[in-house]
Every structure is written in structure tokens, then in C-alpha cells.
Amino acid sequence: MAARKLIPLLDRVLVEKVQAVTKTSGGLLLPETALPKVNEGLVLAVGPGRRGKDGDVVPVSVKEGDKVLLPEYGGSMVKLGGPDNKEVFLYRDEELLGVLTD
């Protein structure tokens, strides 16, 4: 199956969750139960925005490449085809908790 590209609609944001660290700096492997909860992601694509009450388009508040803080629950998991069979998540713009800066 060829890799697919997903373009979100309306105020949806396509996010790839950042992988939790599975190895310490000393080289010890961490068990799955000790891994921290992943609540950070990288924005892969955004929709054009939603329509406001006056009919104008309200743009999405994040852009591609932003690191965002994700809620503990929510989002819709989507598996994109291709050799890596990547799992990504669709969130509404209003569900995102914030933008992380360096």
C-alpha cells in the first residue's frame, strides 16, 4: 500500500505524538510501566479553519512544525499506510492545550 497524505478539514490539526524516552542516559532500558505519559506532539498539518457565526473563516491557531501540549484524553487515532505504518492523531484546534517553545 502506498503512503497516504492526510489533509485535515475545518479546524482539525494532525499531530504526531513524541515518543517517550525508553532508555536512560546511562543505557538502562525503562520498563513500559515506568515510561512517562506522552503529552507532547508535533503538528504535521492543519486545516483551513472553521466558519464563525458571521460566516468568516477563523484560522487555526497553530502551524505546521509547532510543538504542542496535548490533552490526556481525546483525539482520533489514524493509521497512515506506508512502510512505517505511522500512527497520527487528529485534534480540534480548541482541544490543544498550548504551544511549546524552546
Side-chain angles (χ1 to χ4, degrees), residues 1-4 79-85:
M1 177 189 283
R4 296 188 219 168
K79 287 190 178 186
L80 299 178
D84 53 356
N85 204 17

Side-chain angles (χ1 to χ4, degrees), residues 77-97:
M77 185 182 69
V78 178
K79 287 190 178 186
L80 299 178
D84 53 356
N85 204 17
K86 189 169 25 173
E87 288 183 357
V88 293
F89 294 82
L90 274 172
Y91 288 93
R92 287 187 177 274
D93 184 39
E94 62 195 30
E95 292 177 329
L96 299 176
L97 302 176

Side-chain angles (χ1 to χ4, degrees), residues 6 8 24 35 41 48 52 54-55 71 79 88:
L6 178 63
T24 65
L35 293 177
D54 57 357
K79 287 190 178 186
V88 293

Side-chain angles (χ1 to χ4, degrees), residues 2-94:
R4 296 188 219 168
K5 183 175 182 178
L6 178 63
I7 300 170
L9 299 176
L10 302 173
D11 64 339
R12 303 291 199 293
V13 179
L14 188 65
V15 176
E16 180 180 13
K17 287 188 176 180
V18 175
Q19 298 298 318
V21 177
T22 58
K23 189 188 279 190
T24 65
S25 58
L28 296 174
L29 293 176
L30 297 172
E32 195 170 309
T33 56
L35 293 177
K37 191 89 168 147
V38 177
N39 64 344
E40 183 179 326
L42 180 67
V43 175
L44 300 176
V46 296
R50 62 177 169 79
R51 295 229 179 249
K53 291 182 180 179
D54 57 357
D56 293 335
V57 174
V58 178
V60 179
S61 60
V62 294
K63 61 186 182 306
E64 291 181 25
D66 281 349
K67 285 186 180 179
V68 292
L69 185 63
L70 303 171
E72 186 174 352
Y73 301 105
S76 300
M77 185 182 69
V78 178
K79 287 190 178 186
L80 299 178
D84 53 356
N85 204 17
K86 189 169 25 173
E87 288 183 357
V88 293
F89 294 82
L90 274 172
Y91 288 93
R92 287 187 177 274
D93 184 39
E94 62 195 30

